[in-house]
């Protein structure tokens, strides 16, 4: 298991660089599927989709405080995801990680 984590760590960390990093990580993980990398690719893809969706909603209100709150919230979740990937853990992102694993089970 530790060998699989080490092999998938680069793709896992790369996946958290917004949509572009997610696509790169998917490409990196396409030849030899790595369960650790796949887990983090799903988490990062879910975060990216959530960020874009919430950003579109919040931008319609024109309230700077809501925009700042969204950025802080997403930054904390992204930091948590990157930290768990870097430390070799498969802990879902709080609040939404389990949902991402279920909804995006075909990604990775």
């Amino acid at each position: 298991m530790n060998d699989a984590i080490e092999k998938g760590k680069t793709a896992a960390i790369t996946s958290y660089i917004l949509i572009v990093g997610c696509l790169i990580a998917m490409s990196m993980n396409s030849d030899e599927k790595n369960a650790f990398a796949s887990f983090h690719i799903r988490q990062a893809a879910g975060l990216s989709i959530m960020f874009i969706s919430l950003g579109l909603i919040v931008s319609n209100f024109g309230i700077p405080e809501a925009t700042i709150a969204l950025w802080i919230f997403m930054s904390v979740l992204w930091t948590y995801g990157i930290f768990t990937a870097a430390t070799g853990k498969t802990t879902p992102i709080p609040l939404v990680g389990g949902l991402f694993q279920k909804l995006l089970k075909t990604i990775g």
Side-chain angles (χ1 to χ4, degrees):
M1 182 67 174
N2 285 340
D3 189 41
I5 290 172
E6 288 304 315
K7 286 183 179 179
K9 206 177 259 193
T10 303
I13 294 170
T14 302
S15 69
Y16 287 99
I17 307 171
L18 296 175
I19 292 286
V20 174
C22 218
L23 295 173
I24 292 169
M26 285 174 166
S27 173
M28 292 168 68
N29 198 39
S30 65
D31 292 337
E32 248 182 78
K33 294 289 184 191
N34 181 293
F36 178 74
S38 294
F39 174 85
H40 284 286
I41 289 169
R42 286 189 294 275
Q43 295 288 291
L47 279 177
S48 294
I49 292 167
M50 187 171 85
F51 177 65
I52 292 168
S53 301
L54 290 176
L56 289 172
I57 293 167
V58 169
S59 67
N60 288 324
F61 295 115
I63 303 170
E65 292 84 1
T67 304
I68 291 168
L70 173 65
W71 276 94
I72 291 170
F73 176 68
M74 294 305 297
S75 296
V76 168
L77 295 181
W78 257 305
T79 302
Y80 183 86
I82 291 169
F83 179 76
T84 58
T87 56
K89 297 177 184 171
T90 54
T91 309
I93 292 169
L95 305 174
V96 292
L99 181 66
F100 294 159
Q101 290 301 312
K102 289 177 189 172
L103 293 176
L104 304 174
K105 61 185 168 200
T106 59
I107 294 177

